[in-house]
Amino acid sequence: MIHFVLLISRQGKVRLTKWYSPYSQKERIKIIRELSGTIVSRGPKLCKFVEWRGYKVVYRRYAGLYICMCVNHDDNELEILEIIHHYVVVLDRYFGNVCELDLVFNFHKAYYILDEILIAGELQESNKRTVGRLIEAQDAMVEAAKEEASSISNIIAQATKNVS
Amino acid sequence: MALSGMRGLSVFISDIRNCQNKEQERLRVDKELGNVRTRFKNEKGLTPYEKKKYVWKMLYIYMLGYDVDFGHMEAVSLLSAPKYPEKQVGYIVTSCLLNENHDFLRIAINAVRNDIIGRNETFQCLALTLAGNIGGREFAESLAPDVQKLLISSSCRPLVRKKAALCLLRLYRKNPDVVNVDGWSDRMAQLLDERDMGVLTSSMSLLVSLVSNNHEAYWSCVPKCVKILERLARNQDVPQEYTYYGIPSPWLQVKTMRALQYFPTVEDPNTRRSLFEVLQRILMGTDVVKNVNKNNASHAVLFEALALVMHLDAEKEMMSQCVALLGKFIAVREPNIRYLGLENMTRMLMVAEVQDIIKRHQAQIITSLKDPDISIRRRALDLLYGMCDVSNAKDIVEELLQYLTTADFAMREELSLKAAILAEKFAPDLSWYVDVILQLIDKAGDFVSDDIWFRVVHFVTNNEDLQPYAALKAREYLDKPAIHETMVKVSAYLLGEYSHLLARRPGCSPKEIFNIIHEKLPTVSISTIAILLSTYAKILMHTQPPDRDLQSQIWAVFSKYESCIDAEIQQRAVEYHALSMKGAALMDILAEMPKFPERQSPLIKKAEDSEADTAEQSAIKLRAQQQNSNALVVTDQRPTNGAQPAGQLGLVKVPILSNADQSAAEIVSHANGALTVVDPQPPSTPSPDLLGDLLGPLAIEGPTGAAPASVASGLEGGVDADALAIAPIEEQANAVQPIGDIAERFHALCLKDSGVLYEDPYIQIGLKAEWGGHRGRVVLFLGNKITSPLNSVQALILPPSHLKMELSLVPETIPPRAQVQCPLEVMNLQPSRDIAVLDFSYKFGTQLVNVKLRLPAVLNKFLQPISVSAEEFFPQWRSLSGPPLKLQEVVRGVRPMPLAEMANLFNSLNLIVCPGLDPNPNNLVASTTFYSESTRAMLCLIRTETDPADRTQLRMTVASGDPTLTYELKEFVKEQLVNIPVPSRPPLAMPSHIQPTSPPPSAISDPGALLAGLL
């Protein structure tokens, strides 16, 4: 089971955190500080697993961004590595050549997408197209609501104009 | 891509990004929080859009690591917004800001439940995601039934059902009771027939969680899992979109194999065959390719397959194939694979039959200990630790010691602890152990915990042969410049206790020892000074004749510290000073420390405790538990070391042992004219107890000062003189001396029902018995006292003809510090005084230790006290009129004892004294009931008439309804009165057997006694 997911930049800036096991805010901050130090300082030729407090942190680096997932020590590490990659592939398809800045300004999208891939720290959907379609559908619903709202406000505006 | 339509949020994020330093960022955040707070205060003026925007800002600020202690209510209130955009934000922000322990979450349960049971599919998805990500116990209790319904509903689309599966998984983890096993197991099996791969993947995760808790209800899922695996492995009927770099859903493959590992085995032969075909295909068909992702995915499947093969106890051939693969992996360039190779090889150690194959990779593993990657070094260390046994302990521990000097600080503590444990567990001899620990302290003193040096002191104290060696080593280290304080402690302690053993060596006079230790005093801490003071006091005590000069030097130190601010130091200084003026009394008070009781090594315990315990029970852990559940053996050994190696802490070879027991092995006893070699071992073989038994009584009464050889040659059939001749006081005199007097232990156990039967430095045999009627149940407790296993353990019962005895199976190996219980059933067939013998042997190193112990299943154990009145006694007494039912004898040579003591002795033998029956106060009348299969319950009456003028003789009359019983009881009581440590008698009924003990000379010279035995 994945206990938490962290997206950290090389400078140690947090881009996304998702916690599937209960940690208090204090613990969360401590974990982030501890792990970003450890992971960012690891060279590129080392393995992608860090043993930490009896757990394992599996991470991958994409340009300046580290994506880390903390799992139980007997979980299948390689499977987790590819869950990370799967997530990145979906982000990439959604944003079109994703870069770190996309995730900075659209961090909420990163959350929506993650929620379609993982629930309860377990893989929910391994089909990247399915995930893409669901996210598009969500966006469409938000857009529709917005249009509806603006059309209503237009009607109201029109109505009040006519009255005046 | 710009943030869709939320300008305020984009601006805020840009502002934060433009902040030059942390302080600016904080100011900007504080400003924003103030703004959000005021906006939330008059909530009515907020449009849904604004609310959404502010809640996102809060989440962003929270993500940056700032405390956001307000606005939770606003986030939660969005859950029940009617429109999708607000609801979506509400759900996601709530599940990020809160965790399952927040009180706020409780008020959200209703809103979440409404969305789950509502008709809107997108709302259902949001609600299931939140409950699946942060739901706690209360969520589990109120939502589980609805979530289950969604999961199995045929009208729900896969996108809802896969979320429901994982949501249920979470709720189940929080409270397993929410899934009713009986009702759910069939449903679970049906879910595995699912066509949609997303739902199937989620359902498989759910199954893993369910079976990790309890697999019993889910056996019907096993064949289905195998089918799924077959389908995936053959790539049949797998939608293109669910292949990942050409591999049919590697995740589902991994999960399915994980689920199968929670079932103890796969029994159905067809299913098993299909499964092994798939596994074989995975093992053989996985190649290393260029693409990293494809490689990872295929190896994720491969490693899971390895774990499953191991779990299923595959054929040795397949296991060897696995080890071969792992051997390849630990040498590849790809660091992930190298890491996993080492990790899985460590798990593989649990399979006993491949341990030797793993050992062939030792060199490669040692190379990995020097890998640039700490994660890999850790794995290598763990593997080396796990594979270590007597055969390679020296190499491995030396590698660890060498590595210690260059190892990074993060690993040194673990490294030194592991080295210390291995040295302790598998030391070929104790002097090597001392060497290792001292090196450890020398090289990594900062990382050597007190436990480690306490342990070495413990061993040295308990092993006399080791003491001079350890003291000498300690002395050598003191010559080195700048030694670690821990080294000062351990050296000072050892030299305080044992430096007198070195007295004649150069540089080891008390004065020199004192000087070199005293040099260190200015640099050490208070706790070490305390040890040094004790050392000085001991040196002073050992300096004979007293050295005035040294004395005044040490006294000066004491008086200096008498005013020390530390109370402990002050007390020691004052007391030692005063004591050392007392002269002879000092000797007693400062005498050598007594031996420590054997107990579990605190190091091993510490290592066990530090093994982190993580969330769900893992398959591997379960397996380890299963492997360890040996009903007989109560042990604290670590499971990873699999089969126990043969070695143990041997004695150092120091030629100071007494030779008293050596000849024991050569005693050839004579039984019915047949010469039987008791112990076919070479002369140096210890077999002390035969002799110990013989010597026991002799030492107390018999011809004192009789040398073992003369005792032995006094026996018919005598001693193999040649063997004795080549058994001089020699170096390999590894004789194991029993602790305590075996004969005394036996006699004590004749009168009570639990206690120690035998003890030597390696083993203790305890005994606990329950007697009732003519039956008894004796439990032998075989306790290994040392830190290595005892092998070739054998326990044979040599019962006399009147006892039927059945000993349960005795395991061949007693693990370190483990105790094995062996129940022994006893049935008494007829009255007899013959004694059963336990022929016990074990191997200590390569040498056999063999002892023959009398078992206290003696006549009085089958007596039950009964108290009779005068009305019952006299008619009986009279009716048993004379021989052979009533026998009378004048017994001479009785141990003089007051009448009260004799009455006590009778009572403790279950012969109950009935006061007042005999008018003469110098007489004792006692009664009892004897039980055997032939006699059933039989009343026995005894009368002894003593002479107050001569307590060494008395007249005894014994009566019962059975002539043999009367005779045997009379003889038995006589033996008890004449002398407590009676020599044991051979079980005459077993002439062809080895004689357990030989009758002492006195018995041989008394034909009457021999004859009595034959009756």
Side-chain angles (χ1 to χ4, degrees):
Chain A
M1 159 193 190
I2 299 166
H3 294 279
F4 54 81
V5 177
L6 299 180
L7 269 66
I8 309 170
S9 77
R10 207 172 37 182
Q11 292 79 27
K13 294 245 186 274
V14 181
R15 300 304 180 204
L16 178 143
T17 62
K18 184 85 182 171
W19 310 85
Y20 297 102
S21 291
Y23 298 93
S24 71
Q25 167 75 345
K26 241 192 185 161
E27 289 167 318
R28 292 178 180 186
I29 292 172
K30 199 166 165 246
I31 290 171
I32 293 168
R33 200 182 310 131
E34 229 175 85
L35 281 180
S36 55
T38 317
I39 289 173
V40 169
S41 62
R42 281 176 69 84
K45 286 195 178 145
L46 306 187
C47 73
K48 303 292 178 267
F49 319 125
V50 172
E51 297 177 8
W52 171 81
R53 298 196 197 168
Y55 295 94
K56 268 180 195 162
V57 179
V58 178
Y59 70 94
R60 279 184 95 152
R61 182 179 167 175
Y62 294 89
L65 187 70
Y66 289 83
I67 303 183
C68 322
M69 293 188 178
C70 171
V71 294
N72 291 338
H73 78 107
D74 61 333
D75 280 339
N76 190 315
E77 298 87 347
L78 292 174
E79 173 199 38
I80 304 296
L81 270 182
E82 290 318 290
I83 290 181
I84 294 176
H85 189 65
H86 173 53
Y87 179 44
V88 172
V89 168
V90 174
L91 288 173
D92 196 55
R93 287 169 70 96
Y94 180 77
F95 287 103
N97 215 352
V98 68
C99 67
E100 197 182 331
L101 215 55
D102 290 324
L103 302 183
V104 172
F105 283 100
N106 295 287
F107 70 98
H108 57 316
K109 295 285 184 202
Y111 275 110
Y112 292 145
I113 293 171
L114 188 62
D115 269 359
E116 289 302 326
I117 289 175
L118 297 177
I119 289 183
E122 302 285 348
L123 180 69
Q124 177 196 175
E125 183 56 76
S126 60
N127 183 340
K128 51 190 186 243
R129 288 198 185 84
T130 307
V131 178
R133 278 195 294 272
L134 289 171
I135 298 293
E136 276 162 28
Q138 287 173 11
D139 283 351
M141 268 189 286
V142 175
E143 280 306 311
K146 213 193 292 173
E147 268 163 33
E148 196 187 322
S150 60
S151 68
I152 290 172
S153 61
N154 280 345
I155 294 164
I156 295 169
Q158 288 281 311
T160 45
K161 212 183 221 172
N162 293 344
V163 169
S164 64
Chain B
M1 187 170 170
L3 198 70
S4 44
M6 263 192 279
R7 244 196 113 243
L9 184 57
S10 300
V11 170
F12 173 62
I13 293 174
S14 297
D15 283 358
I16 294 287
R17 282 175 57 76
N18 292 333
C19 287
Q20 300 293 320
N21 52 41
K22 200 76 191 157
E23 193 46 40
Q24 275 185 8
E25 184 187 291
R26 175 180 297 281
L27 285 172
R28 181 68 186 85
V29 166
D30 281 346
K31 186 181 151 204
E32 196 62 37
L33 282 178
N35 178 27
V36 176
R37 202 190 298 259
T38 39
R39 297 307 299 263
F40 276 159
K41 261 190 189 142
N42 50 32
E43 210 181 315
K44 282 196 184 112
L46 281 180
T47 63
Y49 165 77
E50 283 172 314
K51 220 176 180 178
K52 216 170 88 176
K53 185 175 77 180
Y54 292 130
V55 172
W56 275 125
K57 280 186 183 171
M58 270 169 44
L59 177 59
Y60 192 80
I61 292 170
Y62 182 79
M63 218 169 67
L64 292 176
Y66 295 93
D67 235 356
V68 180
D69 51 1
F70 67 95
H72 296 168
M73 190 63 201
E74 281 72 17
V76 171
S77 72
L78 282 175
L79 298 184
S80 27
K83 296 246 174 61
Y84 181 76
E86 285 79 38
K87 207 186 248 306
Q88 186 194 31
V89 176
Y91 269 111
I92 210 138
V93 175
T94 303
S95 67
C96 289
L97 286 182
L98 304 185
N99 70 42
E100 67 184 64
N101 302 323
H102 270 95
D103 284 339
F104 258 112
L105 212 50
R106 214 170 280 160
I107 57 172
I109 292 184
N110 251 335
V112 174
R113 176 152 193 270
N114 285 336
D115 282 334
I116 286 178
I117 59 177
R119 291 277 172 87
N120 188 321
E121 190 179 62
T122 45
F123 291 3
Q124 282 175 336
C125 286
L126 290 173
L128 288 170
T129 306
L130 178 126
N133 284 340
I134 59 164
R137 261 189 99 87
E138 280 175 71
F139 271 72
E141 275 134 37
S142 44
L143 300 180
D146 299 317
V147 175
Q148 282 172 332
K149 258 182 231 156
L150 289 182
L151 174 54
I152 55 176
S153 151
S154 53
S155 58
C156 270
R157 288 209 293 159
L159 87 140
V160 178
R161 293 179 56 215
K162 67 187 182 194
K163 288 185 165 65
L166 292 178
C167 181
L168 185 61
L169 184 163
R170 163 112 193 175
L171 302 182
Y172 175 76
R173 276 182 189 153
K174 295 298 157 189
N175 181 2
D177 295 337
V178 301
V179 174
N180 178 354
V181 177
D182 296 333
W184 192 254
S185 52
D186 290 344
R187 301 255 158 83
M188 190 65 239
Q190 279 164 28
L191 280 172
L192 297 181
D193 297 330
E194 175 63 45
R195 302 300 301 164
D196 182 272
M197 295 287 279
V199 179
L200 187 58
T201 307
S202 299
S203 300
M204 195 59 84
S205 296
L206 175 62
L207 177 67
V208 170
S209 192
L210 293 172
V211 294
S212 74
N213 234 356
N214 169 20
H215 66 270
E216 283 299 341
Y218 300 97
W219 278 105
S220 58
C221 295
V222 171
K224 298 200 173 191
C225 286
V226 175
K227 281 246 160 59
I228 293 170
L229 210 52
E230 272 187 293
R231 202 175 107 198
L232 292 170
R234 300 221 168 97
N235 201 354
Q236 289 166 342
D237 198 14
V238 181
Q240 174 59 33
E241 292 181 343
Y242 281 94
T243 56
Y244 184 81
Y245 292 91
I247 302 161
S249 186
W251 297 287
L252 183 55
Q253 292 196 49
V254 167
K255 289 229 176 321
T256 312
M257 288 191 274
R258 186 51 68 100
L260 287 170
Q261 286 169 58
Y262 286 103
F263 293 91
T265 177
V266 175
E267 264 159 17
D268 175 58
N270 288 331
T271 314
R272 197 176 163 91
R273 193 172 340 104
S274 318
L275 180 57
F276 273 108
E277 269 172 38
V278 174
L279 291 173
Q280 186 69 39
R281 181 189 285 260
I282 295 171
L283 290 188
M284 298 310 293
T286 308
D287 295 320
V288 179
V289 292
K290 263 230 156 117
N291 183 300
V292 180
N293 301 303
K294 184 172 181 175
N295 227 5
N296 284 343
S298 63
H299 283 80
V301 174
L302 176 62
F303 278 113
E304 206 60 47
L306 280 171
L308 184 54
V309 168
M310 200 173 96
H311 171 77
L312 290 172
D313 284 328
E315 311 276 300
K316 192 180 176 191
E317 199 183 324
M318 201 164 185
M319 293 281 196
S320 322
Q321 203 183 337
C322 292
V323 182
L325 264 177
L326 291 173
K328 209 173 80 188
F329 290 157
I330 63 172
V332 297
R333 277 188 51 193
E334 221 287 291
N336 290 339
I337 303 293
R338 212 156 61 228
Y339 174 94
L340 292 170
L342 291 166
E343 177 174 53
N344 284 282
M345 213 178 240
T346 309
R347 289 178 184 163
M348 208 83 189
L349 283 174
M350 252 185 285
V351 183
E353 62 250 42
V354 296
Q355 281 173 357
D356 285 337
I357 317 181
I358 292 176
K359 279 191 211 154
R360 289 185 212 145
H361 298 282
Q362 190 170 315
Q364 180 61 41
I365 300 165
I366 286 172
T367 316
S368 300
L369 197 58
K370 292 152 193 156
D371 198 278
D373 187 345
I374 185 167
S375 296
I376 291 176
R377 291 197 298 271
R378 282 221 164 95
R379 285 301 107 226
L381 174 59
D382 244 28
L383 177 53
L384 283 175
Y385 179 72
M387 66 194 273
C388 192
D389 61 23
V390 268
S391 71
N392 54 17
K394 268 196 157 161
D395 292 344
I396 289 181
V397 171
E398 258 137 48
E399 278 298 334
L400 297 186
L401 284 175
Q402 210 182 54
Y403 173 47
L404 196 56
T405 37
T406 53
D408 27 349
F409 290 102
M411 272 182 79
R412 285 197 191 179
E413 185 167 4
E414 196 190 350
L415 196 58
S416 49
L417 181 65
K418 287 198 159 147
I421 291 174
L422 292 180
E424 181 183 325
K425 264 180 145 171
F426 303 116
D429 57 71
L430 280 171
S431 52
W432 179 79
Y433 170 72
V434 171
D435 284 345
V436 168
I437 302 298
L438 292 180
Q439 276 189 61
L440 207 58
I441 297 173
D442 187 38
K443 287 181 171 166
D446 281 340
F447 300 92
V448 174
S449 63
D450 280 348
D451 293 336
I452 295 178
W453 82 263
F454 289 173
R455 194 72 181 154
V456 83
V457 163
H458 181 150
F459 272 112
V460 174
T461 308
N462 286 10
N463 291 280
E464 280 161 31
D465 318 330
L466 195 57
Q467 291 160 359
Y469 181 80
L472 190 63
K473 278 280 157 184
R475 173 69 187 80
E476 282 169 12
Y477 272 105
L478 282 178
D479 280 335
K480 290 181 94 175
I483 56 171
H484 192 270
E485 188 168 334
T486 305
M487 185 64 87
V488 178
K489 285 183 187 173
V490 67
S491 307
Y493 185 94
L494 291 174
L495 289 172
E497 290 288 322
Y498 310 115
S499 62
H500 58 284
L501 302 174
L502 305 177
R504 294 215 187 93
R505 291 173 194 264
C508 295
S509 71
K511 199 160 186 173
E512 285 162 306
I513 300 257
F514 167 75
N515 284 336
I516 193 150
I517 295 176
H518 197 52
E519 264 173 33
K520 320 286 179 199
L521 190 132
T523 60
V524 298
S525 67
I526 291 286
S527 64
T528 309
I529 293 178
I531 295 173
L532 296 191
L533 292 184
S534 303
T535 302
Y536 298 165
K538 294 224 171 191
I539 290 176
L540 204 51
M541 185 258 300
H542 281 305
T543 312
Q544 296 302 342
D547 175 340
R548 295 285 155 219
D549 196 26
L550 179 63
Q551 195 179 46
S552 60
Q553 254 181 308
I554 291 178
W555 280 355
V557 179
F558 287 157
S559 42
K560 180 182 162 202
Y561 282 100
E562 274 167 7
S563 52
C564 178
I565 193 155
D566 184 86
E568 174 68 29
I569 302 278
Q570 194 183 57
Q571 189 178 1
R572 286 195 193 207
V574 170
E575 287 179 3
Y576 290 151
H577 200 175
L579 280 171
S580 57
M581 299 200 184
K582 281 204 186 305
L586 187 67
M587 290 293 213
D588 292 336
I589 297 157
L590 290 179
E592 207 167 280
M593 291 299 284
K595 290 188 172 160
F596 292 88
E598 260 296 339
R599 53 168 184 252
Q600 187 190 2
S601 164
L603 300 184
I604 293 171
K605 196 163 176 299
K606 192 169 159 190
E608 280 164 0
D609 292 347
S610 68
E611 269 168 26
D613 201 356
T614 51
E616 265 172 49
Q617 236 189 342
S618 71
I620 290 154
K621 222 184 270 169
L622 273 177
R623 186 179 156 80
Q625 283 164 2
Q626 282 162 7
Q627 284 209 334
N628 245 17
S629 66
N630 182 340
L632 267 176
V633 181
V634 192
T635 168
D636 53 33
Q637 81 189 99
R638 285 170 50 83
T640 41
N641 277 331
Q644 283 297 320
Q648 46 226 139
L649 292 177
L651 290 170
V652 274
K653 289 167 183 159
V654 184
I656 57 163
L657 279 179
S658 90
N659 65 328
D661 291 345
Q662 281 167 18
S663 55
E666 274 56 61
I667 293 179
V668 177
S669 57
H670 179 229
N672 259 12
L675 277 176
T676 318
V677 178
V678 171
D679 196 334
Q681 293 292 311
S684 59
T685 307
S687 174
D689 208 68
L690 184 53
L691 196 67
D693 234 4
L694 259 176
L695 280 177
L698 289 179
I700 294 167
E701 31 136 18
T704 47
S710 67
V711 172
S713 53
L715 296 174
E716 253 184 293
V719 172
D720 183 340
D722 284 334
L724 252 192
I726 55 163
I729 314 167
E730 64 198 320
E731 296 201 339
Q732 61 271 58
N734 257 343
V736 176
Q737 302 217 18
I739 299 170
D741 186 313
I742 293 172
E744 262 172 35
R745 290 186 190 280
F746 167 74
H747 290 294
L749 282 169
C750 286
L751 299 180
K752 57 183 191 172
D753 284 336
S754 65
V756 175
L757 182 66
Y758 170 79
E759 186 168 3
D760 67 25
Y762 311 106
I763 197 164
Q764 186 191 57
I765 304 180
L767 177 146
K768 205 173 166 180
E770 279 171 45
W771 305 96
H774 66 292
R775 287 170 185 278
R777 184 183 162 85
V778 181
V779 182
L780 296 173
F781 296 85
L782 311 178
N784 180 350
K785 294 163 64 179
I786 55 167
T787 47
S788 29
L790 296 176
N791 296 301
S792 306
V793 177
Q794 274 193 349
L796 267 180
I797 299 284
L798 312 175
S801 61
H802 74 285
L803 292 178
K804 218 165 115 182
M805 301 178 101
E806 263 175 61
L807 183 64
S808 69
L809 200 68
V810 176
E812 208 182 288
T813 302
I814 309 177
R817 285 178 301 275
Q819 195 185 57
V820 176
Q821 303 183 6
C822 306
L824 167 68
E825 302 290 342
V826 184
M827 195 158 76
N828 188 21
L829 304 176
Q830 62 209 46
S832 164
R833 287 170 298 138
D834 292 342
I835 292 170
V837 167
L838 170 69
D839 180 351
F840 183 80
S841 59
Y842 65 90
K843 259 196 181 152
F844 150 67
T846 52
Q847 297 184 317
L848 188 75
V849 179
N850 177 257
V851 290
K852 303 210 168 47
L853 303 164
R854 286 175 290 167
L855 285 172
V858 286
L859 190 119
N860 64 310
K861 300 291 180 184
F862 304 103
L863 296 177
Q864 273 184 13
I866 183 170
S867 146
V868 293
S869 63
E871 293 81 52
E872 295 161 316
F873 184 87
F874 289 109
Q876 281 286 336
W877 188 252
R878 273 182 227 112
S879 70
L880 303 165
S881 53
L885 295 182
K886 189 191 239 171
L887 295 172
Q888 195 170 69
E889 185 181 336
V890 173
V891 185
R892 296 179 211 285
V894 174
R895 251 177 333 135
M897 61 180 118
L899 208 58
E901 194 185 310
M902 193 180 289
N904 278 341
L905 177 66
F906 273 43
N907 283 333
S908 62
L909 293 169
N910 284 340
L911 305 165
I912 299 305
V913 175
C914 313
L917 284 187
D918 199 308
N920 186 340
N922 287 319
N923 294 352
L924 278 180
V925 171
S927 62
T928 190
T929 324
F930 175 81
Y931 288 84
S932 74
E933 207 181 44
S934 66
T935 59
R936 299 285 154 195
M938 184 151 295
L939 186 71
C940 310
L941 305 169
I942 299 169
R943 180 169 182 236
T944 53
E945 297 152 277
T946 65
D947 177 3
D950 181 6
R951 291 229 159 267
T952 62
Q953 60 173 348
L954 52 76
R955 188 166 73 169
M956 180 163 67
T957 316
V958 177
S960 83
D962 181 275
T964 325
L965 174 58
T966 304
Y967 176 77
E968 292 289 326
L969 185 61
K970 185 195 77 180
E971 291 299 312
F972 178 77
V973 176
K974 203 167 85 185
E975 281 170 2
Q976 302 299 319
L977 290 172
V978 171
N979 242 310
I980 278 295
V982 266
S984 69
R985 293 148 20 91
L988 294 163
M990 310 219 38
S992 60
H993 268 77
I994 298 162
Q995 294 283 353
T997 50
S998 307
S1002 63
I1004 289 174
S1005 62
D1006 178 5
L1010 274 177
L1011 199 65
L1014 287 168
L1015 275 171

